[in-house]
Amino acid sequence: MVVRRDSAVGEQVTAGTNKTTKAAKAPEVAPVKKAARKTVKKAPQKATTAVKKNPSANPEAKAPKSAVEAPKSVAAKPPKNESHTALVRRARRINRELAEVYPYAHPELDFENSFQLILATVLSAQTTDLRVNQTTPALFAKYPTPEDLAAANPEEVEEILRPTGFFRAKTRAVIGLSKALVEEFGGEVPGRLEDLVKLPGVGRKTAFVVLGNAFGRPGITVDTHFQRLVRRWQWTDEKDPDKIEAAVGALFPKSEWTMLSHHVIFHGRRICHARKPACGACPIAPLCPAYGEGETDPEKAKKLLKYEKGGFPGQRLNPPQAYLDAGGIPAPPLGAPQGTP
């Protein structure tokens, strides 16, 4: 549209030039006015040249370079008949862009070993990672091993887990999980997918979190943020988590799966929110088919940013050093002022 306006401006100036030239040629009277005629001829030509050579002189012709300032028309919606090759290229470019925005992306659950990670992941159902992180220090301190938790008094565990919601069901899950680890795996968290999914309360999502972050084995974590974003980006239209995992996994090398999950989930929590995405502050706006579903005004969009992007504390009480170096703020412990939006 900007190009059309540029063209329109050029045509108007040119037309004006022709009229001005004709008007100047009409009164051929005294020789004194010849110099004036030459001046009139040259001046519009310079103006026309300026418009042609420097379209940016027109404020309306300026195209913003950053995605934060991008107007709605900048977003390049992929065609409905986008080929598989084009989809792969677009998806991988999105991941590369997100890797630059979130070089410190990490699992947002506090843990020091695989047992703590699997417990925290099970407890994160139907609540935030922040609330889990604020609750688990007491749990880990009192029950540091599977053997300790397997023999725990359920009522005492329930009291600790109460802040996470559904605390009775979660108590049964973590105690049952601990008993299974003791009885079937010698008190160790297994490092195979087929073994992990047999544990009480552990599905593929939890298993891949553990495999990717405790054992360094690639896996895609299909949580609610991941599901929402990959559908917005038209990577897949599947709704079943297992089918989403398969569809998205086919677009990327296996070695990228774990970090891809972190990038997407980080972006979903910080910018591409469920109810009101901050489209005007999105670094991948030109690649997003859903651009415009949220706030596109850059200034208004900035006010929607969460965690370190908005200057607020993150979800971990003990985040990685890279996150702190990037300006991230540790979350407060349970009972302290939250400070998050």
Side-chain angles (χ1 to χ4, degrees):
M1 289 190 288
V2 175
V3 177
R4 291 179 183 171
R5 283 200 293 272
D6 288 345
S7 303
V9 172
E11 288 172 5
Q12 288 170 8
V13 174
T14 307
T17 305
N18 292 339
K19 286 180 184 177
T20 307
T21 307
K22 287 178 183 177
K25 286 181 180 177
E28 295 181 4
V29 258
V32 212
K33 296 193 176 182
K34 284 183 181 178
R37 271 204 312 275
K38 288 178 183 178
T39 308
V40 172
K41 281 183 178 180
K42 289 179 181 178
Q45 286 173 355
K46 286 181 180 178
T48 307
T49 306
V51 171
K52 288 180 179 178
K53 288 185 179 179
N54 184 23
S56 61
N58 179 0
E60 294 182 359
K62 288 184 179 179
K65 293 181 180 179
S66 70
V68 173
E69 302 171 355
K72 186 174 179 179
S73 58
V74 168
K77 293 192 175 184
K80 291 181 181 178
N81 59 345
E82 183 179 40
S83 68
H84 180 72
T85 301
L87 170 60
V88 169
R89 287 175 178 168
R90 183 168 62 87
R92 293 186 181 183
R93 184 178 170 189
I94 286 176
N95 187 39
R96 288 195 301 272
E97 296 282 347
L98 294 180
E100 292 182 9
V101 178
Y102 310 108
Y104 47 78
H106 58 273
E108 294 191 271
L109 290 168
D110 282 325
F111 69 97
E112 294 180 357
N113 53 55
S114 57
F115 178 56
Q116 291 185 358
L117 178 58
I118 197 169
L119 289 182
T121 309
V122 169
L123 295 174
S124 67
Q126 305 298 318
T127 190
T128 64
D129 286 358
L130 171 60
R131 183 48 57 96
V132 173
N133 291 335
Q134 292 173 329
T135 305
T136 50
L139 182 72
F140 297 159
K142 191 166 185 176
Y143 309 106
T145 68
E147 289 82 2
D148 295 324
L149 192 51
N153 181 334
E155 292 181 359
E156 294 179 0
V157 178
E158 286 179 2
E159 196 56 37
I160 294 175
L161 300 184
R162 187 180 293 272
T164 66
F166 303 97
F167 59 92
R168 292 189 179 88
K170 290 181 179 180
T171 295
R172 290 193 296 271
V174 296
I175 290 179
L177 168 62
S178 300
K179 287 180 177 177
L181 290 176
V182 172
E183 295 169 4
E184 300 175 31
F185 300 100
E188 299 291 333
V189 176
R192 299 193 313 163
L193 176 64
E194 52 269 38
D195 293 331
L196 286 168
V197 294
K198 292 177 183 177
L199 297 170
V202 177
R204 289 179 69 86
K205 184 193 86 169
T206 298
F208 281 129
V209 170
V210 175
L211 289 173
N213 299 289
F215 294 97
R217 296 178 183 173
I220 293 178
T221 304
V222 185
D223 72 348
T224 55
H225 300 289
F226 194 93
Q227 293 182 49
R228 180 176 73 253
L229 268 61
V230 298
R231 285 201 295 268
R232 277 181 177 168
W233 296 335
Q234 293 183 10
W235 288 3
T236 178
D237 57 3
E238 297 289 354
K239 295 183 178 179
D240 178 76
D242 291 351
K243 292 181 179 178
I244 291 174
E245 177 196 324
V248 174
L251 303 176
F252 295 88
K254 195 172 182 179
S255 59
E256 296 182 13
W257 287 357
T258 300
M259 287 310 299
L260 166 70
S261 301
H262 291 325
H263 296 152
V264 175
I265 293 170
F266 252 61
H267 191 61
R269 284 175 170 163
R270 285 151 180 77
I271 295 178
C272 196
H273 313 133
R275 294 184 181 178
K276 199 171 184 181
C279 294
C282 181
I284 58 164
L287 300 169
C288 180
Y291 181 83
E293 285 186 9
E295 181 58 66
T296 57
D297 179 83
E299 292 306 315
K300 292 180 180 178
K302 285 179 184 177
K303 295 178 182 178
L304 300 174
L305 301 182
K306 296 183 179 180
Y307 306 116
E308 76 284 352
K309 293 298 175 185
F312 296 98
Q315 301 208 61
R316 291 186 67 164
L317 278 66
N318 299 299
Q321 189 59 45
Y323 178 78
L324 298 174
D325 293 342
I329 306 170
L334 194 63
Q338 303 303 309
T340 52

